[in-house]
Every structure is written in C-alpha cells, then in structure tokens.
Amino acid sequence: QVQLVESGGGLVESGGSVRLSCEVSGMALTVDQIRWYRQTPEKGRELVAQVTRSGDTTYFDSEQGRLRISRYAARDSIFWYLRINSLRTEDTAVYYCNAVRQGREFWGQGTQVTVSS
C-alpha cells in the first residue's frame, strides 16, 4: 500500500506562488510515477504535472517554467512538491497527488488552492 498526504494549499493572490506538498509513504521508493491533478466543477480533472521514478518530469501548462516538481527524501517517506508560480485565478482548484505503482493508483485527499484577483 502507498499512502499520500497533501498539504500546502490556501488562499493566494494572483501573481503569487504556492508550493504543494505530497508526502508519500509505504513503499514510496517503489512508486513508478507521481502525478499532480487539479479538479474544478467547470473543467473536471486535469493532469498538471508528472514525474517518473527516473526523474523525468512533464509539465502540462501553456507557460514554460511556471511549474516545478521537486523531491525530498525523509527517513520513512518521500515528499514531492509542486511549485506553481505566477498564479492566475484560473488556477483555482482542488489539487490532488496521485501515485502509480505496478499499475495501481493511489490518491491523496486533495488540497484547495484559491487564487484571488
């Protein structure tokens, strides 16, 4: 089993930045892929960024360099961070962390990001 706990959301002003955290535990080192999704009632679920075990990152954003994934290895877990710069009101969503391991998917509880104009 893989457990994911997210944090870092909140109310942020347009143009600001936010760093979302996803703590992955329970076989965290054998996760094949980490993905960040966001979900809104209007657009549904969107894939925002992903990283493979080998460290290859892919960002799904129209502005290059606005998103960045980073990693920190703690003693019993791995923290994956998604930093979003130059926030826009359309970035308002619930952000979910997703882990893929041997074909199975595991989800975090989600964290709300609200961008004010």
Side-chain angles (χ1 to χ4, degrees):
Q1 278 287 48
V2 177
Q3 294 83 41
L4 295 86
V5 179
E6 300 177 48
S7 60
L11 178 63
V12 188
E13 289 187 355
S14 178
S17 299
V18 68
R19 189 180 77 162
L20 307 180
S21 172
C22 177
E23 182 182 8
V24 184
S25 59
M27 302 183 183
L29 291 177
T30 60
V31 167
D32 300 309
Q33 196 170 61
I34 293 291
R35 299 169 179 162
W36 286 93
Y37 288 86
R38 67 185 182 189
Q39 185 163 352
T40 63
E42 298 79 19
K43 296 184 179 181
R45 183 182 296 169
E46 299 178 294
L47 179 59
V48 177
Q50 64 186 25
V51 58
T52 65
R53 192 195 301 186
S54 60
D56 294 327
T57 55
T58 306
Y59 301 108
F60 301 90
D61 189 80
S62 59
E63 183 178 333
Q64 187 175 3
R66 202 169 72 93
L67 308 178
R68 176 177 167 80
I69 292 177
S70 58
R71 174 185 183 271
Y72 171 75
R75 178 177 178 180
D76 297 318
S77 61
I78 295 178
F79 287 81
W80 290 97
Y81 302 103
L82 175 67
R83 183 174 181 88
I84 310 174
N85 297 317
S86 303
L87 282 163
R88 312 162 184 146
T89 55
E90 51 263 41
D91 291 319
T92 295
V94 178
Y95 285 75
Y96 293 93
C97 180
N98 167 277
V100 181
R101 181 182 181 275
Q102 296 181 352
R104 292 186 63 189
E105 295 191 42
F106 303 87
W107 291 88
Q109 81 283 6
T111 184
Q112 174 74 45
V113 174
T114 302
V115 183
S116 63
S117 58

PDB file of all heavy atoms in Angstrom, residues 86-106:
ATOM      1  N   SER A  86       3.464  32.540 -10.643  1.00  0.00           N
ATOM      2  CA  SER A  86       2.609  33.419 -11.457  1.00  0.00           C
ATOM      3  C   SER A  86       1.159  32.942 -11.468  1.00  0.00           C
ATOM      4  O   SER A  86       0.549  32.746 -12.524  1.00  0.00           O
ATOM      5  CB  SER A  86       3.148  33.486 -12.894  1.00  0.00           C
ATOM      6  OG  SER A  86       4.483  33.916 -12.921  1.00  0.00           O
ATOM      7  N   LEU A  87       0.638  32.714 -10.286  1.00  0.00           N
ATOM      8  CA  LEU A  87      -0.708  32.154 -10.175  1.00  0.00           C
ATOM      9  C   LEU A  87      -1.749  33.052 -10.832  1.00  0.00           C
ATOM     10  O   LEU A  87      -1.672  34.284 -10.777  1.00  0.00           O
ATOM     11  CB  LEU A  87      -1.056  31.946  -8.708  1.00  0.00           C
ATOM     12  CG  LEU A  87      -0.421  30.718  -8.067  1.00  0.00           C
ATOM     13  CD1 LEU A  87      -0.473  30.813  -6.556  1.00  0.00           C
ATOM     14  CD2 LEU A  87      -1.102  29.438  -8.543  1.00  0.00           C
ATOM     15  N   ARG A  88      -2.722  32.378 -11.434  1.00  0.00           N
ATOM     16  CA  ARG A  88      -3.833  33.061 -12.078  1.00  0.00           C
ATOM     17  C   ARG A  88      -5.117  32.588 -11.416  1.00  0.00           C
ATOM     18  O   ARG A  88      -5.159  31.519 -10.806  1.00  0.00           O
ATOM     19  CB  ARG A  88      -3.878  32.707 -13.568  1.00  0.00           C
ATOM     20  CG  ARG A  88      -2.553  32.826 -14.288  1.00  0.00           C
ATOM     21  CD  ARG A  88      -2.591  32.067 -15.586  1.00  0.00           C
ATOM     22  NE  ARG A  88      -1.325  32.069 -16.285  1.00  0.00           N
ATOM     23  CZ  ARG A  88      -0.874  31.051 -17.008  1.00  0.00           C
ATOM     24  NH1 ARG A  88      -1.606  29.952 -17.111  1.00  0.00           N
ATOM     25  NH2 ARG A  88       0.286  31.123 -17.621  1.00  0.00           N
ATOM     26  N   THR A  89      -6.178  33.340 -11.589  1.00  0.00           N
ATOM     27  CA  THR A  89      -7.447  32.928 -10.983  1.00  0.00           C
ATOM     28  C   THR A  89      -7.911  31.589 -11.536  1.00  0.00           C
ATOM     29  O   THR A  89      -8.540  30.809 -10.822  1.00  0.00           O
ATOM     30  CB  THR A  89      -8.526  33.991 -11.223  1.00  0.00           C
ATOM     31  OG1 THR A  89      -8.629  34.253 -12.637  1.00  0.00           O
ATOM     32  CG2 THR A  89      -8.180  35.291 -10.500  1.00  0.00           C
ATOM     33  N   GLU A  90      -7.553  31.294 -12.777  1.00  0.00           N
ATOM     34  CA  GLU A  90      -7.959  30.009 -13.357  1.00  0.00           C
ATOM     35  C   GLU A  90      -7.192  28.831 -12.784  1.00  0.00           C
ATOM     36  O   GLU A  90      -7.486  27.674 -13.113  1.00  0.00           O
ATOM     37  CB  GLU A  90      -7.831  30.033 -14.886  1.00  0.00           C
ATOM     38  CG  GLU A  90      -6.498  30.503 -15.404  1.00  0.00           C
ATOM     39  CD  GLU A  90      -6.516  31.973 -15.775  1.00  0.00           C
ATOM     40  OE1 GLU A  90      -7.115  32.773 -15.031  1.00  0.00           O
ATOM     41  OE2 GLU A  90      -5.913  32.324 -16.815  1.00  0.00           O
ATOM     42  N   ASP A  91      -6.197  29.092 -11.947  1.00  0.00           N
ATOM     43  CA  ASP A  91      -5.502  28.010 -11.242  1.00  0.00           C
ATOM     44  C   ASP A  91      -6.286  27.556 -10.008  1.00  0.00           C
ATOM     45  O   ASP A  91      -5.910  26.561  -9.365  1.00  0.00           O
ATOM     46  CB  ASP A  91      -4.106  28.462 -10.800  1.00  0.00           C
ATOM     47  CG  ASP A  91      -3.171  28.674 -11.972  1.00  0.00           C
ATOM     48  OD1 ASP A  91      -3.190  27.855 -12.908  1.00  0.00           O
ATOM     49  OD2 ASP A  91      -2.418  29.665 -11.954  1.00  0.00           O
ATOM     50  N   THR A  92      -7.338  28.256  -9.670  1.00  0.00           N
ATOM     51  CA  THR A  92      -8.168  27.874  -8.531  1.00  0.00           C
ATOM     52  C   THR A  92      -8.753  26.488  -8.762  1.00  0.00           C
ATOM     53  O   THR A  92      -9.402  26.235  -9.775  1.00  0.00           O
ATOM     54  CB  THR A  92      -9.302  28.884  -8.313  1.00  0.00           C
ATOM     55  OG1 THR A  92      -8.729  30.146  -7.958  1.00  0.00           O
ATOM     56  CG2 THR A  92     -10.247  28.422  -7.221  1.00  0.00           C
ATOM     57  N   ALA A  93      -8.479  25.581  -7.840  1.00  0.00           N
ATOM     58  CA  ALA A  93      -8.919  24.193  -7.998  1.00  0.00           C
ATOM     59  C   ALA A  93      -8.544  23.412  -6.747  1.00  0.00           C
ATOM     60  O   ALA A  93      -7.810  23.901  -5.884  1.00  0.00           O
ATOM     61  CB  ALA A  93      -8.255  23.554  -9.220  1.00  0.00           C
ATOM     62  N   VAL A  94      -9.053  22.200  -6.683  1.00  0.00           N
ATOM     63  CA  VAL A  94      -8.549  21.240  -5.704  1.00  0.00           C
ATOM     64  C   VAL A  94      -7.446  20.450  -6.396  1.00  0.00           C
ATOM     65  O   VAL A  94      -7.657  19.892  -7.479  1.00  0.00           O
ATOM     66  CB  VAL A  94      -9.654  20.287  -5.208  1.00  0.00           C
ATOM     67  CG1 VAL A  94      -9.072  19.282  -4.227  1.00  0.00           C
ATOM     68  CG2 VAL A  94     -10.789  21.074  -4.576  1.00  0.00           C
ATOM     69  N   TYR A  95      -6.286  20.411  -5.780  1.00  0.00           N
ATOM     70  CA  TYR A  95      -5.129  19.732  -6.357  1.00  0.00           C
ATOM     71  C   TYR A  95      -4.934  18.389  -5.668  1.00  0.00           C
ATOM     72  O   TYR A  95      -4.937  18.302  -4.434  1.00  0.00           O
ATOM     73  CB  TYR A  95      -3.883  20.600  -6.216  1.00  0.00           C
ATOM     74  CG  TYR A  95      -3.869  21.753  -7.188  1.00  0.00           C
ATOM     75  CD1 TYR A  95      -4.677  22.863  -6.994  1.00  0.00           C
ATOM     76  CD2 TYR A  95      -3.064  21.723  -8.330  1.00  0.00           C
ATOM     77  CE1 TYR A  95      -4.694  23.912  -7.895  1.00  0.00           C
ATOM     78  CE2 TYR A  95      -3.066  22.769  -9.235  1.00  0.00           C
ATOM     79  CZ  TYR A  95      -3.885  23.857  -9.015  1.00  0.00           C
ATOM     80  OH  TYR A  95      -3.896  24.895  -9.919  1.00  0.00           O
ATOM     81  N   TYR A  96      -4.747  17.366  -6.500  1.00  0.00           N
ATOM     82  CA  TYR A  96      -4.586  16.007  -5.996  1.00  0.00           C
ATOM     83  C   TYR A  96      -3.234  15.442  -6.405  1.00  0.00           C
ATOM     84  O   TYR A  96      -2.779  15.634  -7.538  1.00  0.00           O
ATOM     85  CB  TYR A  96      -5.677  15.092  -6.565  1.00  0.00           C
ATOM     86  CG  TYR A  96      -7.063  15.405  -6.082  1.00  0.00           C
ATOM     87  CD1 TYR A  96      -7.891  16.262  -6.808  1.00  0.00           C
ATOM     88  CD2 TYR A  96      -7.563  14.835  -4.916  1.00  0.00           C
ATOM     89  CE1 TYR A  96      -9.173  16.549  -6.367  1.00  0.00           C
ATOM     90  CE2 TYR A  96      -8.848  15.119  -4.479  1.00  0.00           C
ATOM     91  CZ  TYR A  96      -9.638  15.975  -5.203  1.00  0.00           C
ATOM     92  OH  TYR A  96     -10.903  16.258  -4.770  1.00  0.00           O
ATOM     93  N   CYS A  97      -2.655  14.728  -5.491  1.00  0.00           N
ATOM     94  CA  CYS A  97      -1.445  13.976  -5.767  1.00  0.00           C
ATOM     95  C   CYS A  97      -1.846  12.529  -6.058  1.00  0.00           C
ATOM     96  O   CYS A  97      -2.724  11.975  -5.379  1.00  0.00           O
ATOM     97  CB  CYS A  97      -0.533  14.057  -4.548  1.00  0.00           C
ATOM     98  SG  CYS A  97       1.018  13.198  -4.707  1.00  0.00           S
ATOM     99  N   ASN A  98      -1.201  11.936  -7.035  1.00  0.00           N
ATOM    100  CA  ASN A  98      -1.529  10.576  -7.466  1.00  0.00           C
ATOM    101  C   ASN A  98      -0.229   9.800  -7.623  1.00  0.00           C
ATOM    102  O   ASN A  98       0.728  10.296  -8.206  1.00  0.00           O
ATOM    103  CB  ASN A  98      -2.305  10.659  -8.788  1.00  0.00           C
ATOM    104  CG  ASN A  98      -2.430   9.342  -9.504  1.00  0.00           C
ATOM    105  OD1 ASN A  98      -1.517   8.930 -10.226  1.00  0.00           O
ATOM    106  ND2 ASN A  98      -3.567   8.686  -9.332  1.00  0.00           N
ATOM    107  N   ALA A  99      -0.208   8.583  -7.102  1.00  0.00           N
ATOM    108  CA  ALA A  99       0.970   7.725  -7.244  1.00  0.00           C
ATOM    109  C   ALA A  99       0.584   6.468  -8.003  1.00  0.00           C
ATOM    110  O   ALA A  99      -0.477   5.890  -7.756  1.00  0.00           O
ATOM    111  CB  ALA A  99       1.531   7.361  -5.874  1.00  0.00           C
ATOM    112  N   VAL A 100       1.439   6.072  -8.892  1.00  0.00           N
ATOM    113  CA  VAL A 100       1.206   4.855  -9.669  1.00  0.00           C
ATOM    114  C   VAL A 100       2.292   3.855  -9.304  1.00  0.00           C
ATOM    115  O   VAL A 100       3.494   4.164  -9.363  1.00  0.00           O
ATOM    116  CB  VAL A 100       1.252   5.142 -11.182  1.00  0.00           C
ATOM    117  CG1 VAL A 100       0.979   3.857 -11.964  1.00  0.00           C
ATOM    118  CG2 VAL A 100       0.245   6.208 -11.554  1.00  0.00           C
ATOM    119  N   ARG A 101       1.874   2.675  -8.923  1.00  0.00           N
ATOM    120  CA  ARG A 101       2.821   1.624  -8.567  1.00  0.00           C
ATOM    121  C   ARG A 101       2.314   0.293  -9.105  1.00  0.00           C
ATOM    122  O   ARG A 101       1.230  -0.142  -8.739  1.00  0.00           O
ATOM    123  CB  ARG A 101       3.018   1.542  -7.060  1.00  0.00           C
ATOM    124  CG  ARG A 101       4.007   0.470  -6.630  1.00  0.00           C
ATOM    125  CD  ARG A 101       4.136   0.395  -5.112  1.00  0.00           C
ATOM    126  NE  ARG A 101       5.090  -0.618  -4.730  1.00  0.00           N
ATOM    127  CZ  ARG A 101       4.799  -1.915  -4.592  1.00  0.00           C
ATOM    128  NH1 ARG A 101       3.558  -2.330  -4.795  1.00  0.00           N
ATOM    129  NH2 ARG A 101       5.736  -2.767  -4.236  1.00  0.00           N
ATOM    130  N   GLN A 102       3.066  -0.299  -9.981  1.00  0.00           N
ATOM    131  CA  GLN A 102       2.719  -1.592 -10.568  1.00  0.00           C
ATOM    132  C   GLN A 102       1.282  -1.594 -11.094  1.00  0.00           C
ATOM    133  O   GLN A 102       0.526  -2.537 -10.852  1.00  0.00           O
ATOM    134  CB  GLN A 102       2.920  -2.700  -9.533  1.00  0.00           C
ATOM    135  CG  GLN A 102       4.371  -2.841  -9.109  1.00  0.00           C
ATOM    136  CD  GLN A 102       4.586  -3.952  -8.095  1.00  0.00           C
ATOM    137  OE1 GLN A 102       3.629  -4.536  -7.582  1.00  0.00           O
ATOM    138  NE2 GLN A 102       5.838  -4.256  -7.807  1.00  0.00           N
ATOM    139  N   GLY A 103       0.911  -0.557 -11.764  1.00  0.00           N
ATOM    140  CA  GLY A 103      -0.393  -0.480 -12.392  1.00  0.00           C
ATOM    141  C   GLY A 103      -1.523  -0.027 -11.492  1.00  0.00           C
ATOM    142  O   GLY A 103      -2.642   0.196 -11.948  1.00  0.00           O
ATOM    143  N   ARG A 104      -1.246   0.122 -10.222  1.00  0.00           N
ATOM    144  CA  ARG A 104      -2.282   0.582  -9.293  1.00  0.00           C
ATOM    145  C   ARG A 104      -2.086   2.064  -9.009  1.00  0.00           C
ATOM    146  O   ARG A 104      -0.959   2.567  -8.996  1.00  0.00           O
ATOM    147  CB  ARG A 104      -2.220  -0.196  -7.984  1.00  0.00           C
ATOM    148  CG  ARG A 104      -2.617  -1.655  -8.090  1.00  0.00           C
ATOM    149  CD  ARG A 104      -2.650  -2.275  -6.704  1.00  0.00           C
ATOM    150  NE  ARG A 104      -3.649  -1.646  -5.842  1.00  0.00           N
ATOM    151  CZ  ARG A 104      -3.753  -1.895  -4.544  1.00  0.00           C
ATOM    152  NH1 ARG A 104      -2.922  -2.741  -3.949  1.00  0.00           N
ATOM    153  NH2 ARG A 104      -4.689  -1.289  -3.824  1.00  0.00           N
ATOM    154  N   GLU A 105      -3.204   2.726  -8.783  1.00  0.00           N
ATOM    155  CA  GLU A 105      -3.157   4.149  -8.494  1.00  0.00           C
ATOM    156  C   GLU A 105      -3.600   4.419  -7.058  1.00  0.00           C
ATOM    157  O   GLU A 105      -4.525   3.786  -6.542  1.00  0.00           O
ATOM    158  CB  GLU A 105      -4.058   4.932  -9.461  1.00  0.00           C
ATOM    159  CG  GLU A 105      -3.589   4.875 -10.893  1.00  0.00           C
ATOM    160  CD  GLU A 105      -4.338   5.862 -11.777  1.00  0.00           C
ATOM    161  OE1 GLU A 105      -4.562   7.005 -11.329  1.00  0.00           O
ATOM    162  OE2 GLU A 105      -4.691   5.481 -12.897  1.00  0.00           O
ATOM    163  N   PHE A 106      -2.916   5.387  -6.454  1.00  0.00           N
ATOM    164  CA  PHE A 106      -3.231   5.793  -5.096  1.00  0.00           C
ATOM    165  C   PHE A 106      -3.394   7.313  -5.098  1.00  0.00           C
ATOM    166  O   PHE A 106      -2.680   8.020  -5.817  1.00  0.00           O
ATOM    167  CB  PHE A 106      -2.115   5.375  -4.136  1.00  0.00           C
ATOM    168  CG  PHE A 106      -1.827   3.901  -4.161  1.00  0.00           C
ATOM    169  CD1 PHE A 106      -0.936   3.369  -5.085  1.00  0.00           C
ATOM    170  CD2 PHE A 106      -2.459   3.046  -3.274  1.00  0.00           C
ATOM    171  CE1 PHE A 106      -0.676   2.008  -5.127  1.00  0.00           C
ATOM    172  CE2 PHE A 106      -2.207   1.685  -3.296  1.00  0.00           C
ATOM    173  CZ  PHE A 106      -1.319   1.164  -4.231  1.00  0.00           C
TER     174      PHE A 106
END
